[in-house]
Structures are given as C-alpha cells and as structure tokens.
Amino acid sequence: MTKKIPKRNDPCWCNSGKKYKKCHLRSDERGETTPPGMVIKQVGKPTVAAGSISPKRQVPDSIVSPEYAKTGVAGGRGPSCKKESEEEISRMRHAGMVAREVLDTVLAAVEPGVTTNALDEIAHLSAISRGAYPSPLNYMGFPKSLCTSVNEVVVHGIPDSRELQEGDIINCDVTVYIDGMHGDCSETVLVGDVSREARALVEVTWECLMKGIAVVRPGRLFNEIGRVIESHTDKHGYSVVREFTGHGIGGIFHMAPYIAHFYEPANKARMEEGMTFTIEPMINSGSPNCMIWPDKWTAVTADLALSAQFEHTVLVTETGVEILTGGRDPWFLRG
Ligand code: MF3
Ligand code: CO
Ligand code: CO
C-alpha cells in the first residue's frame, strides 16, 4: 500500500488520528519518502523499460468481484485495527490458501524467454479456475491481474511484453478475492543463473520477512516488525523501502493498520488477536529511495540498484501468529 501525503492539518496517512504536522510530516521531509525532484546517483543502467500491455482480461460473471472491479475505486480503508470473527477467519484462511496456490502456479512458469504478460495470464486463469477474482485487476485502475517486479523494480510492476532474461530476479505478487476476502502473498525468484549478489539480496529479504513474522503476537507493538527487519537489513548493508508498507487485509484489500518495515519508535499501535495483515518488506541493495514511472504504478529504485520482496498474509492468534499464505519453502531452502 502506498502512503498518500496529506495536507499539514489533515489526519496523518498512518491513521494515528493525529494531524499530519504532528505526526509523520518531519520524517517524510527528512527524505524517508522521496521528495519530488530529489536527485540520486544511479549506480546501474536500467534493465527494465515499459513494454506493451495486452488488452484487459475478462472475469466470468459467476465470480463475485470486489467493490472496485467495475469502477476502479476502492472501498474505504476500513475500521482501524479490525478484529476478524471466527467465521471471517476461516474465509481468510481459504483466501490465503488459494492465493498461495495461484502464486505457486505462476512461479513454476518462470524461465528465460517467458514474458511477464504470460505470467499474468497464468495468474488470471488460475485464479478464476478456483472461483477467485484476481484482486489487482482494476484496483485503483491497475490494468493486470498480477504484479511482476523485475530487478530494479521495487513493487507494482505491470506485466507486459518484456521477456525474462537469464540473470533477472522477479517478484510475483498474487492477491485473490474469494468468499468476500482477500489473500495476498509474493515471492522473489531467480531466472536461470543469477549473480551471487542478487541471490544474497533475495535470501536476506526472505529472512527479513521471517524475522518480522516471528515477533507477531497479541500485545506486541507493531513497530517491533520494522525494528527487527531494519536491524537485519542494516547488518547486511542493504536498505529498507519506506514508501510502501504492509497493510491490514480482509474484505478490503488495503486497510489500517499500515505496517512499516523500518523502525518507527513513535508508533504505539499494538497487535490484537484476530487481526489479519500483511508483512511485505522491500529490501534494496543500494539507496532506499524510489521513483515512480509515468505509468503511475511501477516503482523502481532511485539508483537503479536491485530490489527484492517477499510477502505473507498473517493472522494474530491467541499465542502468536499463523501464516495464512504459507506453503512450500522458497527455492533456496529446497533441496
Ligand atoms: N499485492 C500488492 C500488495 O501487496 C498490491 C497490488 S495493488 C495493484 O499490497 F493494484 F498494484 F495490484
Ligand atoms: Co500486500
Ligand atoms: Co501483495
């Protein structure tokens, strides 16, 4: 989810209830989001350019769509810190499982020469064959059913005619809507033989997600998640993206609370049993700052260095945490 920068006297984007000027204004000004016009030295050449986007895919009428499917306008951000009922939780478990199945289907097709558009088609068909709506499709106007973020693309890459090349890394981010609930997960994988540096970044990003999940339990401050992720990232000399955060999820795709992947000492929000939210750290090998392409979606690293991401949807249980989008281990933990 993307932070929207409010006016000074409007409520802060973080849903603290405080005015923006009393909350995140200063940290935003310190460059913790990229101010317009900020110049950052590029360390690499672009490896990704906008390709051509195929026509909009159709969803059968029999599939129940989320509120934005026709209009592109997403519903309210939902009540802050909503706790789900048992019945809602079992629908969330199901949505999480379906998201995982769709993601695994997409990842199995990743190889040199495959276009990101072909991966989008697989995501689209495998969601609808399971009776699910592919949540990205027309979410705030997003044109495709999957997000594909290659190399220096941080997040929200739009599937297009670009063919994957040996040595790329690609994050595929799947969200599905089924039985009135969204399940959201993503994984970064390697395309053929990849540099040691890229592999290391991907592995550390996975460790960041796991460390963030490990601190989830009722009563914990949400800022513990960002604290452990940022400290692991620092240890490896990488940086944590600040413009995009995890989010509450349920009947609404993105809602409060937001989940920062960097340490926010002033954020005193606490986790409660029954909450469902995502953790989805984006870790950059260079600068934490991002630039947005003219398509208004694709976020790339400002210095064009590599970025990786993993995401799970989790539930706060009585004693700890349940991963709702769990499944196989990522590629580097498998034999
Ligand atoms: N799945 C992304 C997330 O983790 C959101 C994608 S929104 C889209 O929050 F519109 F880009 F699809
Ligand atoms: Co998400
Ligand atoms: Co996602």
Side-chain angles (χ1 to χ4, degrees), residues 35-240:
M38 178 165 177
V39 178
I40 290 179
K41 195 166 172 272
Q42 300 188 341
V43 298
K45 289 208 179 78
T47 69
V48 184
S52 57
I53 298 174
S54 66
K56 188 172 183 223
R57 301 188 199 284
Q58 298 305 308
V59 177
D61 289 338
S62 56
I63 288 180
V64 179
S65 299
E67 76 286 355
Y68 53 80
K70 286 224 162 58
T71 61
V73 181
R77 306 184 70 186
S80 197
C81 301
K82 182 177 184 313
K83 294 197 285 173
E84 308 285 339
S85 70
E86 247 332 296
E87 185 272 337
E88 289 167 314
I89 287 168
S90 67
R91 285 190 286 127
M92 282 298 292
R93 278 199 185 96
H94 185 227
M97 195 188 81
V98 172
R100 164 54 52 182
E101 287 173 10
V102 172
L103 178 58
D104 285 343
T105 311
V106 170
L107 296 177
V110 168
E111 59 174 343
V114 171
T115 64
T116 49
N117 181 57
L119 299 176
D120 177 70
E121 183 177 32
I122 293 169
H124 185 86
L125 295 176
S126 84
I128 63 180
S129 76
R130 289 168 172 82
Y133 181 93
S135 305
L137 187 61
N138 210 28
Y139 176 78
M140 296 172 70
F142 191 82
K144 290 281 141 199
S145 301
L146 173 73
C147 295
T148 49
S149 301
V150 174
N151 298 340
E152 69 267 23
V153 180
V154 174
V155 72
H156 299 164
I158 301 172
D160 65 14
S161 53
R162 184 187 185 278
E163 289 179 6
L164 294 178
Q165 293 168 23
E166 179 105 11
D168 285 344
I169 62 172
I170 178 175
N171 175 277
C172 295
D173 189 336
V174 165
T175 313
V176 298
Y177 181 75
I178 185 164
D179 296 337
M181 292 297 183
H182 295 272
D184 189 3
C185 53
S186 84
E187 223 172 289
T188 301
V189 292
L190 311 182
V191 182
D193 257 343
V194 165
S195 70
R196 287 166 65 103
E197 292 75 25
R199 292 180 83 99
L201 174 71
V202 175
E203 293 190 20
V204 169
T205 305
W206 167 257
E207 290 163 9
C208 284
L209 172 60
M210 288 297 121
K211 284 177 187 288
I213 292 174
V215 300
V216 173
R217 60 176 294 161
R220 274 272 151 83
L221 290 167
F222 274 103
N223 72 20
E224 272 294 297
I225 296 172
R227 198 176 64 78
V228 296
I229 291 174
E230 189 166 26
S231 101
H232 192 60
T233 303
D234 285 351
K235 209 170 85 188
H236 289 272
Y238 301 139
S239 64
V240 180

